[in-house]
Amino acid sequence: MSADDHAWAYNGAGHWNGGGMHFDSDSHNLGFGLVDAHAAVRLAETWTKTSTASNREQVSATRLFPVSIPDNSMRGAVDVVTIEQDICVERVEIALKVAHSSIGDLRISLMSPSGTTSVLMSRPQQTALNAVGSSRDNIDFTFSTVLSWGKRSVGQWSLALFDNAPGETGSLQSWTIHLLGQKAGDDSLYVFTDEYAESRALAPSRGFLSDSGGIDTLNFSAMSLASLIDLGSGTTSAVDGAPFQIANGTIIENIIGGDGNDQFIGNEVDDLLRGMRGDDTLIGGAGNDTLEGGAGDDLLVGGASRDTAILRGNRNDYSISHTGRESLRIVDQRPLSEVTASSRGDGVDALQSVERLKFADYSIAFDDQGASEGFSALPGGL
């Protein structure tokens, strides 16, 4: 059985390749699909947030009165709860108590507020050799699903139970929904992978990003091809060879590149532009921007304000030379044997109009405000 043998759909999230995450909507045998280990490791390199039980958010609701399940009927029994507390969902747990004389008759599903349907149980033990399915009675069990990952919790969650065979009857006695995830907020992380072009072709709206506030990040670290991104609102860029547009009035502050030779252009606010791998071009805008080329030979261009270049090694790991007015050439001199996965080499970088350098152990400022902010000031500028 291959991935093409399954029915694929997208969930109700909005931060993965411009929209929801695809999943195996029919049998759920493949879930969100096969893991791309390369992309997963690349994305993990950019992760800075620690999520544990101490900062987990949870909201629950319980329904206690019984609901009859129509026998051998497509109508089924449907019960709805409304969630008003807002969290960003990662997992949903459903604690069910069902009285039924043959649970092999039953199909149980949960629908999220956005319309994503998770099949929790479908006629257990029913096979070509056993059309009836399990003959066991009653259910007292907690099911779980991650198909609403990335969706907000607010809205109506619908539980549906269908009896698909005649003769045995029962009822839903009670159920509790537990939504687990992280605190909802205005800061958004938008992740893109090599599936962006394919996903956008199916849903062109994925190529249009509108965000109303917070500190937001575009993360292309899982991508193998180059991305050409202008963070200016109303601009059109290219991701995975397909168009990508930032809406008028939308401000994105941070951007993280992938394996390709990316080109990023900042906007009028203080931006963080990270190239990661590849020979990248990072161009700051009008704000006080932070530029990190990463591995590869990169071009870092500041703007009119005070801009900082990040070099991940110690100061003595690099040679620095002037190549012109307000221009530097910085060479990472570490041998490959000293470059680790957590401290990749920075290659040969060309810097223009960048006022500050920040190494792992030392920081230099070419502007007269540096000393008061933890930088060793070098008066006279570049």
Side-chain angles (χ1 to χ4, degrees):
M1 180 178 291
S2 69
D4 293 334
D5 296 324
H6 297 259
W8 294 96
Y10 293 92
N11 73 359
H15 294 75
W16 194 265
N17 285 319
M21 295 181 282
H22 74 199
F23 67 98
D24 176 8
S25 62
D26 185 12
S27 64
H28 295 357
N29 285 337
L30 296 181
F32 288 120
L34 301 177
V35 174
D36 184 332
H38 180 273
V41 171
R42 290 289 192 260
L43 189 58
E45 289 178 341
T46 70
W47 234 247
T48 58
K49 184 177 180 180
T50 301
S51 297
T52 66
S54 63
N55 56 22
R56 180 184 66 188
E57 296 287 326
Q58 179 174 324
V59 57
S60 301
T62 299
R63 301 279 285 177
L64 295 175
F65 54 85
V67 179
S68 297
I69 304 172
D71 186 33
N72 194 29
S73 171
M74 296 296 293
R75 182 164 56 89
V78 180
D79 200 37
V80 177
V81 297
T82 299
I83 301 296
E84 297 181 354
Q85 181 179 338
D86 190 14
I87 68 171
C88 186
V89 176
E90 295 179 359
R91 189 172 83 253
V92 182
E93 296 178 349
I94 303 294
L96 277 180
K97 288 188 178 182
V98 176
H100 199 283
S101 51
S102 179
I103 64 173
D105 293 358
L106 299 179
R107 177 181 173 90
I108 305 173
S109 62
L110 178 74
M111 180 181 289
S112 73
S114 65
T116 300
T117 298
S118 301
V119 178
L120 306 179
M121 188 183 85
S122 183
R123 304 203 65 185
Q125 297 184 18
Q126 183 191 36
T127 67
L129 300 177
N130 181 12
V132 177
S134 174
S135 61
R136 290 176 295 180
D137 58 2
N138 303 331
I139 298 173
D140 187 353
F141 188 76
T142 298
F143 298 88
S144 66
T145 174
V146 294
L147 289 189
S148 290
W149 199 340
K151 180 63 183 174
R152 303 291 274 265
S153 58
V154 174
Q156 291 187 333
W157 294 79
S158 303
L159 181 72
L161 299 91
F162 299 92
D163 186 322
N164 295 138
E168 307 292 341
T169 60
S171 62
L172 169 64
Q173 297 294 298
S174 66
W175 66 290
T176 298
I177 182 171
H178 301 280
L179 303 171
L180 302 99
Q182 57 183 298
K183 185 177 181 180
D186 293 329
D187 299 346
S188 297
L189 172 64
Y190 299 96
V191 177
F192 295 83
T193 73
D194 288 342
E195 290 184 320
Y196 170 75
E198 176 187 350
S199 299
R200 188 194 180 282
L202 295 173
S205 61
R206 287 176 174 266
F208 184 81
L209 175 61
S210 179
D211 189 283
S212 59
I215 304 300
D216 307 309
T217 301
L218 303 181
N219 192 325
F220 301 97
S221 61
M223 297 196 64
S224 57
L225 299 178
S227 299
L228 308 176
I229 304 296
D230 187 339
L231 291 181
S233 63
T235 60
T236 298
S237 303
V239 177
D240 195 20
F244 173 75
Q245 182 177 4
I246 297 176
N248 285 319
T250 291
I251 302 297
I252 304 296
E253 292 81 2
N254 305 324
I255 189 167
I256 301 173
D259 286 2
N261 300 329
D262 300 313
Q263 179 175 315
F264 299 148
I265 302 174
N267 50 32
E268 68 272 20
V269 303
D270 299 345
D271 299 313
L272 169 61
L273 310 181
R274 296 178 62 191
M276 301 300 286
R277 292 171 174 82
D279 300 334
D280 306 309
T281 300
L282 311 181
I283 304 174
N288 298 325
D289 303 311
T290 300
L291 312 176
E292 181 180 345
D297 301 335
D298 307 307
L299 172 62
L300 312 182
V301 181
S305 298
R306 186 179 68 244
D307 304 301
T308 301
I310 302 294
L311 290 307
R312 289 160 299 172
N314 294 329
R315 166 62 186 90
N316 290 335
D317 295 329
Y318 301 84
S319 68
I320 303 176
S321 59
H322 287 267
T323 57
R325 186 174 182 273
E326 297 189 350
S327 299
L328 295 174
R329 183 175 186 265
I330 300 182
V331 181
D332 188 341
Q333 301 181 110
R334 288 174 292 175
L336 291 178
S337 60
E338 296 182 10
V339 177
T340 66
S342 60
S343 180
R344 299 184 304 275
D346 286 311
V348 179
D349 294 339
L351 277 62
Q352 299 175 9
S353 301
V354 174
E355 289 75 23
R356 298 184 175 187
L357 307 178
K358 191 170 184 179
F359 301 93
D361 64 341
Y362 190 74
S363 299
I364 300 173
F366 300 103
D367 62 286
D368 56 9
Q369 302 177 44
S372 63
E373 300 178 14
F375 287 76
S376 297
L378 296 180
L382 292 174

